[in-house]
Amino acid sequence: MQNSEILALLHDLKTYLVTGGWPWSRRQRRAHLLGRLDAMTAQLDGGPHPAVALARARLEGAPVLRIETDEAHIEETPSGVWVRGWIWVEQQALASCDPGRMTKLRNVLADLPQQTCAVFLAHCVEGLAYPAIALRLNLGVAEVQRELASALLILSEALDET
């Protein structure tokens, strides 16, 4: 359900409750429910979290990333805010994800030296920057770059064989 639909539903429910459509046994329960609905609709009417605008600005001009114009769903963490978005995937990329190729990739990853694999996963899966990986693995940034280059070369050669 989209946020606009939720907002419309809440407004309709509020109107229904105010006109006495529900058989509430206690006036206080009704007042409490209306108060909660007021708070929820005010929150939704208030517009999106500021992180949505910032994320949208960062993605401006990116041909494969999109954030909906009415997006309001966010997830706050101690280190930042996640904003939900869309990523474009070409049909050709989907075709390259066949099970045999994925099995080959998993096998090659398992055979990588431990440090090389750790650097690759930290960068490509976790999205960590070189300095963060260097700090985590007690390496120099140049070593991280060499390990990542080595992993990418090994994986590329292995996948080109198929």
Side-chain angles (χ1 to χ4, degrees):
M1 191 182 286
Q2 295 293 325
N3 287 333
S4 58
E5 293 171 310
I6 294 170
L7 187 58
L9 175 64
L10 289 173
H11 282 297
D12 291 345
L13 182 58
K14 179 181 174 184
T15 302
Y16 185 70
L17 290 173
V18 169
T19 61
W22 283 29
W24 292 101
S25 59
R26 293 191 144 159
R27 191 177 197 111
Q28 288 178 330
R29 180 186 284 170
R30 185 173 174 193
H32 176 71
L33 182 57
L34 287 172
R36 286 181 55 208
L37 284 171
D38 278 339
M40 291 173 72
T41 55
Q43 182 180 8
L44 290 171
D45 282 337
H49 190 280
V52 175
L54 180 60
R56 196 175 285 116
R58 286 184 178 174
L59 296 179
E60 190 174 328
V64 297
L65 302 169
R66 178 182 87 209
I67 296 175
E68 296 293 339
T69 55
D70 66 343
E71 185 60 58
H73 181 81
I74 55 109
E75 181 181 325
E76 293 191 48
T77 68
S79 59
V81 178
W82 285 99
V83 176
R84 187 170 47 186
W86 294 83
I87 298 175
W88 173 260
V89 177
E90 298 85 5
Q91 290 296 329
Q92 179 184 2
L94 291 173
S96 69
C97 291
D98 68 87
R101 191 172 170 92
M102 295 308 289
T103 300
K104 175 91 173 183
L105 177 63
R106 282 189 205 94
N107 291 338
V108 172
L109 276 172
D111 291 341
L112 285 176
Q114 184 177 358
Q115 183 169 290
T116 305
C117 186
V119 168
F120 175 80
L121 293 175
H123 183 70
C124 294
V125 175
E126 296 179 55
L128 295 180
Y130 298 152
I133 298 169
L135 185 64
R136 177 190 281 183
L137 299 177
N138 198 25
L139 300 171
V141 172
E143 273 183 286
V144 169
Q145 292 171 331
R146 279 193 296 276
E147 293 289 351
L148 183 59
S150 174
L152 292 172
L153 180 63
I154 292 168
L155 289 167
S156 176
E157 288 174 346
L159 291 176
D160 285 345
E161 292 173 3
T162 55

